[in-house]
């Protein structure tokens, strides 16, 4: 009996030991899996925290900046969760809200500035009229010199107000006739402070069409002002014209410090017409020069670039005008040619070599004018009269007519006679007939 019981006990102990060993193995396996899962969750939590920090410090500022500068690229997520951007929907909503808010703010600011600049432009125009009137009435050199200084300062004020109004969506406000390129550059030069440093090219017969004259003048003025401000005070700003197969370019070279790569990229973005979307993004104080040029170039069809280096070490600005915006300047009509006298012979052969005697033919004596015929009165009590033919001549007039020599042979009259005598006689007869017919055709007058 003892052996079977002992055997059964041993079997049970063996089974329990095997079961316990299995439980231990399973527990270790579960513990290992749980540890790995915990580490994965902890790594994922750290990744999400890092993604949130990336969203807060990198992606959201880039989205706000991209609303102003299209050259800014919004970075993507650090890692994709389940193959998708975890913040995509959030970024879309934030982008739409910030864009709409910025557009509303920009529209409000533009409307306010547009109204203010319209008032400033009107005041500047009235002041310009008064200054011009004073310049015409004052001949004192000192007073005239002061008035010219006021005129120049008022022109600069008007340009700044005009540029701001254009940037806010307004139109240039002036309509001119077609002007030559030289006149366009001169008009732009008169609107900047350092006008004496601009070297104007030789006169050109190529002109800008009327609807584009004022926009081109304003754009050239901004380029000249930019070149003069960013170069040495004594250095010149050179302007040249370059003909192309499909238009003409106005080239402006300065001797300034040049532009960095980032400045050139931003200037190119503004010159494409993106600067008018948000005035607040142009800095404090706002630099509106390139932005205004971009708005005008997009609106009127010309192109401006500042990505080339000037041979003087500064910046070369090129304003390209396509053929659609160009025309030819009106050429003054030539002076009328002198009409030969009707009494002159048709050719030297018609002149008689021998001396020809002349006889003085007296004009008919003047006849007294007949009194005007009474035709009653008008509704206002004024008499009605009809003129009578006046005297043939008011004084005795003689006409020197060449007479052929007595020995000249008789010439048969032809249908057209070009001799000096016939020409003079026909001219005198036609003159008398014209005077007589003009007198007979006069109507009654009150």
């Amino acid at each position: 009996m003892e052996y079977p019981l002992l055997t059964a006990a041993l079997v049970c102990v063996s089974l329990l030991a095997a079961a316990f060993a299995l439980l231990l193995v399973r527990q270790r396996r579960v513990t290992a899996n749980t540890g790995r899962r915990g580490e994965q969750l902890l790594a994922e939590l750290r990744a999400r925290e890092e993604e949130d920090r990336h969203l807060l410090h990198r992606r959201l500022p880039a989205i706000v900046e991209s609303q102003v500068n299209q050259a800014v690229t919004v970075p993507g997520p650090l890692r994709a969760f389940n193959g998708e951007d975890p913040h995509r929907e959030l970024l879309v909503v934030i982008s739409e809200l910030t864009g709409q808010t910025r557009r509303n703010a920009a529209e409000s600011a533009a409307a306010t500035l547009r109204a203010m600049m319209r008032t400033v432009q009107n005041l500047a125009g009235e002041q310009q009229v008064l200054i011009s009137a004073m310049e015409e009435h004052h001949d004192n050199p000192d007073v005239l010199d002061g008035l010219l200084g006021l005129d120049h300062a008022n022109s600069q004020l008007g340009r700044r107000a005009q540029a701001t109004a254009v940037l806010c969506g307004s139109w240039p406000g002036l309509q001119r006739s077609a002007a030559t390129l030289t006149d366009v550059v001169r008009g732009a030069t008169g609107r900047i402070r350092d006008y004496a440093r601009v070297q104007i090219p030789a006169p050109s017969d190529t002109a800008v069409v009327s609807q584009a004259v004022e926009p081109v003048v304003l754009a050239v003025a901004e380029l000249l002002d930019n070149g003069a401000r960013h170069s040495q005070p004594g250095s010149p700003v050179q302007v040249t014209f370059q003909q192309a197969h499909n238009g003409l370019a106005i080239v402006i070279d300065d001797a300034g410090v040049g532009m960095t790569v980032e400045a050139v990229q931003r200037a190119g973005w503004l010159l494409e017409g993106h600067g008018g979307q948000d005035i607040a993004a142009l800095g404090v104080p706002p630099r509106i020069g390139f932005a205004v040029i971009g708005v005008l170039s997009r609106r009127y069809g010309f192109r401006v670039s500042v990505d080339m280096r000037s041979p003087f070490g500064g910046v070369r600005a090129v304003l390209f005008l396509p053929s659609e915006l160009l025309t030819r300047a009106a050429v003054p009509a030539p002076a009328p040619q002198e009409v030969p006298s009707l009494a002159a012979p048709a050719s030297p052969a018609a002149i008689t070599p021998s001396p020809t005697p002349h006889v003085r033919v007296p004009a008919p004596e003047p006849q007294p004018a007949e009194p005007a015929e009474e035709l009653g009165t008008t509704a206002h009590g004024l008499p009605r009269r009809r003129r009578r033919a006046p005297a043939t001549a008011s004084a005795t007039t003689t006409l020197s007519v060449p007479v052929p020599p007595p020995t000249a042979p008789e010439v048969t009259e032809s249908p057209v006679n070009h001799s000096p005598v016939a020409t003079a006689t026909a001219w005198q007869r036609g003159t008398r007939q014209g005077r007589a017919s003009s007198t007979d055709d006069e109507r009654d007058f009150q």
Side-chain angles (χ1 to χ4, degrees), residues 342 392 399 401 413 415 417 421-437:
L342 294 177
T392 304
L399 178 64
V401 180
E413 185 178 358
N417 193 350
V421 178
T423 303
T425 304
W427 177 77
Q428 185 180 17
R429 183 171 59 253
T431 303
R432 291 177 180 176
Q433 291 178 357
R435 292 176 180 175
S437 61

Side-chain angles (χ1 to χ4, degrees), residues 159-185:
R159 176 177 67 86
R160 302 308 295 175
Q162 185 183 18
T164 305
V166 169
L167 189 61
C168 295
S170 181
W171 295 90
L174 295 176
Q175 182 69 25
R176 302 187 177 199
S177 58
T180 62
L181 292 174
T182 306
D183 292 337
V184 166
V185 175

Side-chain angles (χ1 to χ4, degrees), residues 21-70:
L22 291 175
L23 290 175
L24 289 178
V25 172
R26 183 179 179 183
Q27 183 63 32
R28 293 191 62 179
R29 186 175 298 175
V30 170
T31 303
N33 293 336
T34 303
R36 286 194 297 269
R37 180 60 179 169
E39 292 178 357
Q40 292 177 357
L41 293 176
L42 182 60
E44 185 176 351
L45 178 60
R46 292 175 179 174
R48 288 185 179 275
E49 292 178 352
E50 187 178 0
E51 188 68 36
D52 292 340
R53 288 193 297 269
H54 179 66
L55 172 68
L56 179 63
H57 298 289
R58 296 291 303 278
R59 303 185 72 184
L60 290 180
I63 288 178
V64 176
E65 183 67 19
S66 65
Q67 301 291 335
V68 181
N69 188 357
Q70 297 293 334

Side-chain angles (χ1 to χ4, degrees), residues 14 23 32 49 62 108 115 130 186 223 243 250 284 322 363 389-390 398 404 414:
S14 300
L23 290 175
E49 292 178 352
S108 300
L130 294 176
R186 287 174 179 169
L223 293 175
Q243 188 70 40
I250 302 177
V284 180
T398 59
S414 59

Side-chain angles (χ1 to χ4, degrees), residues 5 98 125 134 161 173 199 204 253 267 270 305 332 383 401 407 432:
L5 292 174
T98 55
M134 295 179 66
Q199 296 181 352
S204 172
D253 292 312
L270 292 174
S305 62
V401 180
T407 57
R432 291 177 180 176

Side-chain angles (χ1 to χ4, degrees), residues 236 238 251-256 258 307-317:
Q238 189 179 60
V251 183
I252 301 173
D253 292 312
D254 63 65
D307 54 355
M308 288 187 291
R309 189 174 183 84
S310 169
F312 307 109
V315 176
R316 165 168 287 186

